[in-house]
Amino acid sequence: MPESLNSHNHRSASHDGTSDVEAKYPTPSFSAVPVYTTPTIANPGPLGLSSFALTTFVLSLHNAGAGVPADGPSNVVVGLAFFYGGLVQLLAGMWEFKTGNTFGATAFSSYGGFWLSYGLIFIPGAGILDAYADEDEVVWRKSLGIYLLSWAIFTGIMLISSHRSSVGLMSMFFFLFITFVLLAASEYNNSITIKIAGGSFGVITALVAWYNALSGLLTRDSSYFLLPTGRLH
């Protein structure tokens, strides 16, 4: 047999064998893996700080006796406590969880809960004030003092936790801590003078919180100037 014919037959057999293998084991096809992008979450900090600041400001002016009796009713804050300082701030805390900010989530969620629980005290259907109706007024004041002292302890924890954030944020928690301590002392001692002092520190706390909120709103993309907060890290 001529060499050229033998070579031709060998190539034909090899080609046919390859075709059989390809037919039996087809080349796998890979589909494109879809890419999912994380949705953009706006900064919930200014919202949480604003809701905290305004509600604190209104109550603190009443406690400080600014144009109203310091020992008079302050029930005008109940609506704010439920909706702005309470619900809105709680939502800001939930959104902070989404951004991965544990500190902000803990702070906003907790103080949102504070305002909701504080507002509930003055709702007649809750029966909280009614439970003290047959007791001496001192019992009610001592209970409220314990309530405020507990929040002072929590605020002290947040103050320690904020030591690497900013001067603005640390100042806010410092003044808030003093506010809770003074208000708790005023209830324990039934002292209007200490309550007025607590209200005054509360007003300062609210102003510092508003400053921090404004600094968060004034970004390089939305403002011609920025507010310094004294970053500590």
Side-chain angles (χ1 to χ4, degrees):
M1 180 180 293
E3 182 178 353
S4 59
L5 181 59
N6 185 34
S7 175
H8 173 74
N9 292 338
H10 176 73
R11 287 196 301 269
S12 298
S14 175
H15 175 74
D16 293 342
T18 303
S19 300
D20 292 342
V21 171
E22 290 178 349
K24 187 175 182 180
Y25 303 103
T27 303
S29 59
F30 299 95
S31 58
V33 178
V35 178
Y36 298 98
T37 58
T38 304
T40 302
I41 302 296
N43 180 13
L47 175 63
L49 288 167
S50 297
S51 59
F52 170 80
L54 193 148
T55 313
T56 302
F57 186 75
V58 172
L59 179 60
S60 296
L61 286 178
H62 282 77
N63 289 336
V68 294
D71 57 349
S74 57
N75 291 39
V76 71
V77 80
V78 172
L80 286 171
F82 271 107
F83 293 101
Y84 197 41
L87 179 60
V88 170
Q89 191 173 185
L90 180 62
L91 289 174
M94 296 299 104
W95 289 321
E96 286 284 15
F97 274 114
K98 181 66 176 177
T99 63
N101 184 0
T102 303
F103 180 85
T106 303
F108 290 142
S109 301
S110 297
Y111 289 114
F114 162 75
W115 283 116
L116 288 169
S117 65
Y118 183 81
L120 190 64
I121 294 174
F122 301 97
I123 301 299
I128 297 175
L129 293 177
D130 294 339
Y132 294 91
D134 298 331
E135 300 289 340
D136 190 284
E137 185 182 0
V138 176
V139 178
W140 155 246
R141 291 192 176 278
K142 297 289 186 182
S143 294
L144 186 58
I146 293 173
Y147 172 82
L148 293 170
L149 180 61
S150 301
W151 281 104
I153 294 172
F154 172 76
T155 303
I157 294 173
M158 298 305 294
L159 174 60
I160 296 172
S161 302
S162 66
H163 71 280
R164 288 193 62 188
S165 57
S166 67
V167 174
L169 202 59
M170 279 198 70
S171 300
M172 184 189 73
F173 283 109
F174 172 76
F175 287 119
L176 182 60
F177 174 76
I178 300 298
T179 300
F180 275 126
V181 170
L182 290 174
L183 292 178
S186 72
E187 297 299 337
Y188 266 105
N189 298 281
N190 193 17
S191 172
I192 294 297
T193 302
I194 300 178
K195 183 177 182 179
I196 292 174
S200 300
F201 272 93
V203 171
I204 297 173
T205 302
L207 295 176
V208 175
W210 263 323
Y211 180 90
N212 285 313
L214 182 57
S215 69
L217 289 171
L218 300 178
T219 65
R220 298 186 184 277
D221 296 328
S222 64
S223 174
Y224 291 109
F225 64 95
L226 304 177
L227 289 181
T229 57
R231 305 299 298 180
L232 296 174
H233 68 278

